[in-house]
Amino acid sequence: MVTEKRSFCRLCGSFCAFIATVEDNRITAIRPDADDPVSRGYMCLKGMALGRLHHHPNRLDQPYMRVDGRLSEVKWDAALDDIAGKLRSIIDRHGPQAIGAYAGTPAVPCASLNVWRGFMASLGSPQIYSTVSVDVACGPLVAERVTGSPMMIAQPDSDTRMAVLIGINPMVSHGHNYFMPAPKLQLKQWADQGELWVVDPRRTETAELATHHLAPWPGSEFALLGHAVREILRDGADRDFIETGVAGIDALRDAVDRFTLDEAARLTRLPAEALTGFVAAIRRAGRIGVVCGTGISMGAHANATWFLGWALMGVTGSLDRPGGSYFNPGFARNYAEQGWTPMDTTGPGPASRPDLPSRLGEYPCAALADEIEAGNLKALFIIAGNPVLALPDTGRLLAAFAKLDLLVVVEMMETATTAEATHLLPGTGQLEMSDITLWDFLNPLEYARYAERVVEPVAGRRPLWWMLREIGRRIGVDSGVPDTVVHDDDVIRPMLPHARAGFDVIRQSPAAVVGGRTHGWVAPHLPGGRWNLGPADLLAQVATADMDGADMVLTPQRQRARVNGLMNDGLANPRRPERPELHINPGDAAAMGIAEGEMVRVETDRGHVDVPARIERRYRPGVVSLPHGFDQANVNHLTDARDTDPLSGMPTLGAFPVRVRKRPADNP
Ligand SMILES: Nc1nc2c(c(=O)[nH]1)N[C@H]1C(S)=C(S)[C@@H](COP(=O)(O)OP(=O)(O)OC[C@H]3O[C@@H](n4cnc5c(=O)[nH]c(N)nc54)[C@H](O)[C@@H]3O)O[C@H]1N2
Ligand SMILES: Nc1nc2c(c(=O)[nH]1)N[C@H]1C(S)=C(S)[C@@H](COP(=O)(O)OP(=O)(O)OC[C@H]3O[C@@H](n4cnc5c(=O)[nH]c(N)nc54)[C@H](O)[C@@H]3O)O[C@H]1N2
Ligand code: SF4
Ligand SMILES: [Mo]
């Protein structure tokens, strides 16, 4: 029988709507939903490949367990009994705090995967890790300091007069933190009706649509923004907004005073005219929208730069105002009505890393290897994640994983991480899960959309809630999943206590339920009714941020047809698969005598990676890039889990110094 099912893609936060054709529980076609008011008939290559991903030969169908060093297929009961037995003995000897969980990116957009948090809460273990601490740890930190809530995200308004995109490439990524379905439509609108500035060491696909592109030295953007804040405070600031709506302005003024034109030019390595041109554009526009991406959040000065973006919107009176920036209160979260109690979610960090905090109730991923090495962590659940490729200092992490008594990986596919598992549990994939958009507040519209599962799970694949309930029952811990749960809907329904429409209304609606765009709702909820632009710890970082004078740095980038460690085999663009390559500027390559395709060695003090060179005019001189997520050439062999930010706990994964040379002869 042939049927059509509406659904939405959860490979990134844009949640593009599509219609799947299903024949006998097989997906035969996927086409974008032209009527959807949010994604407007747009889907990228990766979303279009969801059907092929679903039927991929590497999909896991049965549980596996390590027996005599080898992963062998077993029955569910055997795997669960063995896991439970080991958990019990770990709890008896070391307590529940020796059990941890790491959740990967898909555990965020897939609502029913969120049950792992309830399980960990019942267990009473603080060993909670997620990709937030290797992705955008600075974002919630800065939001919390400025607004009292870690969940506030400033987006350039859809009709902002000047959009400033720093280290973000929505034409490829569709956004970061703030997502952008159908990115070209929005980018062109900004460029056509105002100005679109892109700040990136790479002349990106987004930069090609921009009215202006700046390529400062990677990691120095705090100085570009600091200089602009300084100059706008002298001439061009929105005095009324500052007087009535902002706190801490004197402290901000003092902290940015160091960013004179000369100093900013020295730090950014930009000509003075580029800096004065940027300030002049801000004065012309009056109101602006600034957004940063992973190009900033992975870098050593992430907090300072992210914060100065907010500060620049603050001094221009652009925060939460039309023509400036927009804050989506969320259809599901409904922050405009719910508000928040001002919070500081920084807490004590893990024992083995006294230099690190916990944030948002989680330990930083940078501490994972330390916690295992110190014997504090004996068992780890990995939920829809690939830490072997995603976390810093792979060599050390692999050695630490080998010391665990139990490494339970809940996955869809075989990955570099499943190869390390003691137990491998086959999860349902997104087309086998019903879902709802809990994260619309990261999108440019306030809306809700439900998707019923497109196909029934086959073979031994099971939902995560079922696995956790089975394990909880066996070890006598309340998994947080009641026996009454028989369908994904039963776990999703209670996740919407504040939504602007009830679960059943959203579920029964054939299309997205759209709630519009609200401005001016944030200020009434701010502590004292004011945006705090003078948080002491962030300003201390602004006042002391400096550059180390490196002459070659490595920066991160996403690629069109892969998502992190997924789709490395060219699934989404078989004709031009993206391979691991070191992207290098032609001048740098020539100076080192490196030819296109030649093997080069990239080195840091942590390790090295050998990879073919790809000559790329898009990069500015001195900047190379090796995208993350490749098993064969894993950039995280170069990164250091000890090189962390003390406030956010984030390791430096971007704009770090590297040495590049031709690969030494195999037998020197
Ligand atoms: N050096 C460096 N390191 C980085 C980055 C970088 O730019 N540079 N980027 C960082 C960022 S931003 C991120 S988000 C992380 C990514 O870190 P991770 O999220 O750990 O990595 P992914 O490769 O996205 O792994 C997700 C896994 O979930 C599986 N999966 C997908 N859907 C489902 C599902 O429905 N159920 C189950 N059970 N499994 C599913 C996929 O098969 C995939 O293997 O990496 C970070 N690490
Ligand atoms: N196709 C695709 N889409 C994805 C993903 C994917 O893997 N593939 N991953 C998803 C995830 S998990 C995330 S977190 C988002 C990330 O979304 P984005 O942050 O938009 O990620 P990128 O597309 O890599 O864009 C980052 C840009 O920052 C630039 N950059 C790097 N270092 C610096 C620097 O030091 N300074 C400045 N100014 N710029 C710098 C890079 O050149 C790049 O153009 O994308 C999501 N969407
Ligand atoms: S932009 Fe691509 S990956 Fe992101 S939701 Fe849309 S189709 Fe999926
Ligand atoms: Mo990410």
mmCIF file of all heavy atoms in Angstrom, residues 623-652:
data_model
loop_
_atom_site.group_PDB
_atom_site.id
_atom_site.type_symbol
_atom_site.label_atom_id
_atom_site.label_comp_id
_atom_site.label_asym_id
_atom_site.label_seq_id
_atom_site.Cartn_x
_atom_site.Cartn_y
_atom_site.Cartn_z
ATOM 1 N N VAL A 623 45.090 30.889 7.500
ATOM 2 C CA VAL A 623 43.980 30.143 8.100
ATOM 3 C C VAL A 623 43.763 28.848 7.324
ATOM 4 O O VAL A 623 43.613 28.865 6.101
ATOM 5 C CB VAL A 623 42.684 30.984 8.070
ATOM 6 C CG1 VAL A 623 41.530 30.212 8.679
ATOM 7 C CG2 VAL A 623 42.896 32.301 8.805
ATOM 8 N N VAL A 624 43.797 27.732 8.046
ATOM 9 C CA VAL A 624 43.477 26.447 7.419
ATOM 10 C C VAL A 624 42.254 25.864 8.124
ATOM 11 O O VAL A 624 41.873 26.316 9.203
ATOM 12 C CB VAL A 624 44.662 25.448 7.515
ATOM 13 C CG1 VAL A 624 45.842 25.926 6.692
ATOM 14 C CG2 VAL A 624 45.047 25.192 8.965
ATOM 15 N N SER A 625 41.638 24.879 7.492
ATOM 16 C CA SER A 625 40.463 24.275 8.115
ATOM 17 C C SER A 625 40.435 22.788 7.834
ATOM 18 O O SER A 625 40.752 22.340 6.727
ATOM 19 C CB SER A 625 39.191 24.925 7.572
ATOM 20 O OG SER A 625 38.052 24.320 8.169
ATOM 21 N N LEU A 626 40.078 22.030 8.870
ATOM 22 C CA LEU A 626 39.830 20.594 8.723
ATOM 23 C C LEU A 626 38.493 20.335 9.402
ATOM 24 O O LEU A 626 38.402 20.382 10.621
ATOM 25 C CB LEU A 626 40.963 19.792 9.390
ATOM 26 C CG LEU A 626 40.790 18.269 9.451
ATOM 27 C CD1 LEU A 626 40.608 17.665 8.073
ATOM 28 C CD2 LEU A 626 42.003 17.631 10.137
ATOM 29 N N PRO A 627 37.438 20.122 8.617
ATOM 30 C CA PRO A 627 36.120 19.929 9.233
ATOM 31 C C PRO A 627 36.131 18.742 10.203
ATOM 32 O O PRO A 627 36.835 17.764 9.969
ATOM 33 C CB PRO A 627 35.213 19.647 8.031
ATOM 34 C CG PRO A 627 35.924 20.236 6.853
ATOM 35 C CD PRO A 627 37.386 20.079 7.145
ATOM 36 N N HIS A 628 35.340 18.864 11.281
ATOM 37 C CA HIS A 628 35.294 17.773 12.259
ATOM 38 C C HIS A 628 34.346 16.672 11.779
ATOM 39 O O HIS A 628 33.589 16.866 10.837
ATOM 40 C CB HIS A 628 34.834 18.307 13.619
ATOM 41 C CG HIS A 628 33.369 18.596 13.679
ATOM 42 N ND1 HIS A 628 32.797 19.616 12.958
ATOM 43 C CD2 HIS A 628 32.346 17.994 14.327
ATOM 44 C CE1 HIS A 628 31.494 19.616 13.176
ATOM 45 N NE2 HIS A 628 31.189 18.650 13.998
ATOM 46 N N GLY A 629 34.398 15.543 12.442
ATOM 47 C CA GLY A 629 33.434 14.480 12.170
ATOM 48 C C GLY A 629 33.936 13.400 11.225
ATOM 49 O O GLY A 629 33.190 12.502 10.878
ATOM 50 N N PHE A 630 35.208 13.495 10.799
ATOM 51 C CA PHE A 630 35.766 12.439 9.944
ATOM 52 C C PHE A 630 36.562 11.465 10.802
ATOM 53 O O PHE A 630 37.471 11.879 11.522
ATOM 54 C CB PHE A 630 36.711 13.037 8.886
ATOM 55 C CG PHE A 630 36.007 13.731 7.757
ATOM 56 C CD1 PHE A 630 36.144 15.097 7.577
ATOM 57 C CD2 PHE A 630 35.228 13.013 6.865
ATOM 58 C CE1 PHE A 630 35.517 15.744 6.527
ATOM 59 C CE2 PHE A 630 34.598 13.646 5.801
ATOM 60 C CZ PHE A 630 34.736 15.022 5.632
ATOM 61 N N ASP A 631 36.251 10.197 10.664
ATOM 62 C CA ASP A 631 36.963 9.168 11.402
ATOM 63 C C ASP A 631 38.407 9.052 10.899
ATOM 64 O O ASP A 631 39.356 8.940 11.669
ATOM 65 C CB ASP A 631 36.207 7.840 11.203
ATOM 66 C CG ASP A 631 36.609 6.806 12.226
ATOM 67 O OD1 ASP A 631 37.413 7.145 13.112
ATOM 68 O OD2 ASP A 631 36.127 5.665 12.135
ATOM 69 N N GLN A 632 38.570 9.085 9.565
ATOM 70 C CA GLN A 632 39.889 8.851 8.957
ATOM 71 C C GLN A 632 40.872 9.972 9.283
ATOM 72 O O GLN A 632 42.076 9.754 9.310
ATOM 73 C CB GLN A 632 39.783 8.760 7.430
ATOM 74 C CG GLN A 632 38.670 7.889 6.900
ATOM 75 C CD GLN A 632 37.386 8.687 6.710
ATOM 76 O OE1 GLN A 632 36.960 9.440 7.602
ATOM 77 N NE2 GLN A 632 36.743 8.530 5.572
ATOM 78 N N ALA A 633 40.375 11.192 9.461
ATOM 79 C CA ALA A 633 41.251 12.322 9.772
ATOM 80 C C ALA A 633 40.504 13.160 10.793
ATOM 81 O O ALA A 633 39.850 14.132 10.466
ATOM 82 C CB ALA A 633 41.554 13.125 8.518
ATOM 83 N N ASN A 634 40.602 12.737 12.033
ATOM 84 C CA ASN A 634 39.800 13.325 13.112
ATOM 85 C C ASN A 634 40.521 14.525 13.702
ATOM 86 O O ASN A 634 41.546 14.395 14.365
ATOM 87 C CB ASN A 634 39.550 12.243 14.161
ATOM 88 C CG ASN A 634 38.786 12.758 15.353
ATOM 89 O OD1 ASN A 634 38.458 13.939 15.444
ATOM 90 N ND2 ASN A 634 38.501 11.854 16.277
ATOM 91 N N VAL A 635 39.957 15.697 13.450
ATOM 92 C CA VAL A 635 40.596 16.951 13.878
ATOM 93 C C VAL A 635 40.771 17.004 15.394
ATOM 94 O O VAL A 635 41.649 17.703 15.909
ATOM 95 C CB VAL A 635 39.787 18.168 13.356
ATOM 96 C CG1 VAL A 635 38.451 18.288 14.056
ATOM 97 C CG2 VAL A 635 40.574 19.469 13.499
ATOM 98 N N ASN A 636 39.974 16.222 16.118
ATOM 99 C CA ASN A 636 40.091 16.283 17.580
ATOM 100 C C ASN A 636 41.307 15.543 18.130
ATOM 101 O O ASN A 636 41.552 15.568 19.338
ATOM 102 C CB ASN A 636 38.781 15.850 18.238
ATOM 103 C CG ASN A 636 37.791 17.014 18.226
ATOM 104 O OD1 ASN A 636 38.169 18.159 18.509
ATOM 105 N ND2 ASN A 636 36.555 16.755 17.853
ATOM 106 N N HIS A 637 42.116 14.937 17.237
ATOM 107 C CA HIS A 637 43.435 14.488 17.679
ATOM 108 C C HIS A 637 44.328 15.697 17.960
ATOM 109 O O HIS A 637 45.371 15.579 18.598
ATOM 110 C CB HIS A 637 44.094 13.612 16.610
ATOM 111 C CG HIS A 637 43.569 12.207 16.595
ATOM 112 N ND1 HIS A 637 43.718 11.344 17.650
ATOM 113 C CD2 HIS A 637 42.877 11.524 15.654
ATOM 114 C CE1 HIS A 637 43.149 10.179 17.362
ATOM 115 N NE2 HIS A 637 42.620 10.267 16.152
ATOM 116 N N LEU A 638 43.916 16.863 17.450
ATOM 117 C CA LEU A 638 44.757 18.069 17.586
ATOM 118 C C LEU A 638 44.339 18.946 18.765
ATOM 119 O O LEU A 638 45.069 19.839 19.159
ATOM 120 C CB LEU A 638 44.660 18.916 16.308
ATOM 121 C CG LEU A 638 44.995 18.220 14.990
ATOM 122 C CD1 LEU A 638 44.716 19.151 13.809
ATOM 123 C CD2 LEU A 638 46.463 17.786 14.990
ATOM 124 N N THR A 639 43.127 18.732 19.281
ATOM 125 C CA THR A 639 42.591 19.658 20.295
ATOM 126 C C THR A 639 42.912 19.151 21.691
ATOM 127 O O THR A 639 43.246 17.983 21.893
ATOM 128 C CB THR A 639 41.076 19.820 20.112
ATOM 129 O OG1 THR A 639 40.466 18.522 20.087
ATOM 130 C CG2 THR A 639 40.762 20.546 18.819
ATOM 131 N N ASP A 640 42.761 20.043 22.665
ATOM 132 C CA ASP A 640 43.233 19.756 24.020
ATOM 133 C C ASP A 640 42.105 19.987 25.024
ATOM 134 O O ASP A 640 41.611 21.105 25.156
ATOM 135 C CB ASP A 640 44.415 20.689 24.328
ATOM 136 C CG ASP A 640 45.114 20.303 25.629
ATOM 137 O OD1 ASP A 640 44.528 19.530 26.419
ATOM 138 O OD2 ASP A 640 46.244 20.786 25.840
ATOM 139 N N ALA A 641 41.720 18.928 25.727
ATOM 140 C CA ALA A 641 40.623 19.047 26.708
ATOM 141 C C ALA A 641 41.040 19.859 27.923
ATOM 142 O O ALA A 641 40.220 20.172 28.781
ATOM 143 C CB ALA A 641 40.157 17.661 27.135
ATOM 144 N N ARG A 642 42.329 20.213 28.023
ATOM 145 C CA ARG A 642 42.765 21.034 29.167
ATOM 146 C C ARG A 642 42.744 22.518 28.837
ATOM 147 O O ARG A 642 42.875 23.359 29.728
ATOM 148 C CB ARG A 642 44.172 20.615 29.597
ATOM 149 C CG ARG A 642 44.208 19.221 30.178
ATOM 150 C CD ARG A 642 45.499 18.993 30.951
ATOM 151 N NE ARG A 642 45.484 17.669 31.548
ATOM 152 C CZ ARG A 642 45.918 16.564 30.937
ATOM 153 N NH1 ARG A 642 46.427 16.631 29.723
ATOM 154 N NH2 ARG A 642 45.865 15.398 31.538
ATOM 155 N N ASP A 643 42.584 22.818 27.557
ATOM 156 C CA ASP A 643 42.572 24.215 27.129
ATOM 157 C C ASP A 643 41.105 24.686 27.150
ATOM 158 O O ASP A 643 40.403 24.610 26.153
ATOM 159 C CB ASP A 643 43.168 24.273 25.715
ATOM 160 C CG ASP A 643 43.185 25.676 25.151
ATOM 161 O OD1 ASP A 643 42.864 26.621 25.904
ATOM 162 O OD2 ASP A 643 43.488 25.816 23.957
ATOM 163 N N THR A 644 40.658 25.127 28.312
ATOM 164 C CA THR A 644 39.229 25.384 28.502
ATOM 165 C C THR A 644 38.961 26.789 29.016
ATOM 166 O O THR A 644 39.829 27.410 29.625
ATOM 167 C CB THR A 644 38.651 24.390 29.527
ATOM 168 O OG1 THR A 644 39.585 24.272 30.593
ATOM 169 C CG2 THR A 644 38.385 23.031 28.917
ATOM 170 N N ASP A 645 37.741 27.233 28.812
ATOM 171 C CA ASP A 645 37.329 28.524 29.345
ATOM 172 C C ASP A 645 36.836 28.335 30.784
ATOM 173 O O ASP A 645 35.982 27.486 31.029
ATOM 174 C CB ASP A 645 36.209 29.119 28.488
ATOM 175 C CG ASP A 645 35.784 30.469 29.025
ATOM 176 O OD1 ASP A 645 36.461 31.463 28.713
ATOM 177 O OD2 ASP A 645 34.804 30.528 29.808
ATOM 178 N N PRO A 646 37.346 29.145 31.721
ATOM 179 C CA PRO A 646 36.993 28.916 33.130
ATOM 180 C C PRO A 646 35.530 29.233 33.460
ATOM 181 O O PRO A 646 34.998 28.683 34.415
ATOM 182 C CB PRO A 646 37.928 29.866 33.893
ATOM 183 C CG PRO A 646 38.352 30.889 32.900
ATOM 184 C CD PRO A 646 38.330 30.215 31.556
ATOM 185 N N LEU A 647 34.878 30.081 32.691
ATOM 186 C CA LEU A 647 33.492 30.445 33.010
ATOM 187 C C LEU A 647 32.490 29.476 32.388
ATOM 188 O O LEU A 647 31.473 29.140 32.993
ATOM 189 C CB LEU A 647 33.169 31.867 32.524
ATOM 190 C CG LEU A 647 34.005 32.997 33.102
ATOM 191 C CD1 LEU A 647 33.555 34.334 32.521
ATOM 192 C CD2 LEU A 647 33.921 33.019 34.621
ATOM 193 N N SER A 648 32.757 29.049 31.148
ATOM 194 C CA SER A 648 31.788 28.205 30.448
ATOM 195 C C SER A 648 32.172 26.729 30.450
ATOM 196 O O SER A 648 31.337 25.871 30.209
ATOM 197 C CB SER A 648 31.645 28.661 28.996
ATOM 198 O OG SER A 648 32.808 28.311 28.265
ATOM 199 N N GLY A 649 33.443 26.432 30.676
ATOM 200 C CA GLY A 649 33.909 25.046 30.630
ATOM 201 C C GLY A 649 34.156 24.539 29.216
ATOM 202 O O GLY A 649 34.497 23.382 29.000
ATOM 203 N N MET A 650 34.009 25.410 28.231
ATOM 204 C CA MET A 650 34.147 25.017 26.818
ATOM 205 C C MET A 650 35.623 24.862 26.454
ATOM 206 O O MET A 650 36.438 25.730 26.761
ATOM 207 C CB MET A 650 33.511 26.125 25.971
ATOM 208 C CG MET A 650 33.652 25.952 24.481
ATOM 209 S SD MET A 650 32.267 25.049 23.763
ATOM 210 C CE MET A 650 32.838 24.977 22.053
ATOM 211 N N PRO A 651 35.988 23.742 25.776
ATOM 212 C CA PRO A 651 37.362 23.630 25.283
ATOM 213 C C PRO A 651 37.533 24.460 24.009
ATOM 214 O O PRO A 651 36.564 24.686 23.279
ATOM 215 C CB PRO A 651 37.488 22.139 24.960
ATOM 216 C CG PRO A 651 36.100 21.690 24.647
ATOM 217 C CD PRO A 651 35.152 22.567 25.446
ATOM 218 N N THR A 652 38.746 24.874 23.738
ATOM 219 C CA THR A 652 39.010 25.589 22.489
ATOM 220 C C THR A 652 39.052 24.576 21.351
ATOM 221 O O THR A 652 39.930 23.711 21.310
ATOM 222 C CB THR A 652 40.358 26.333 22.572
ATOM 223 O OG1 THR A 652 40.305 27.223 23.684
ATOM 224 C CG2 THR A 652 40.620 27.133 21.299
#
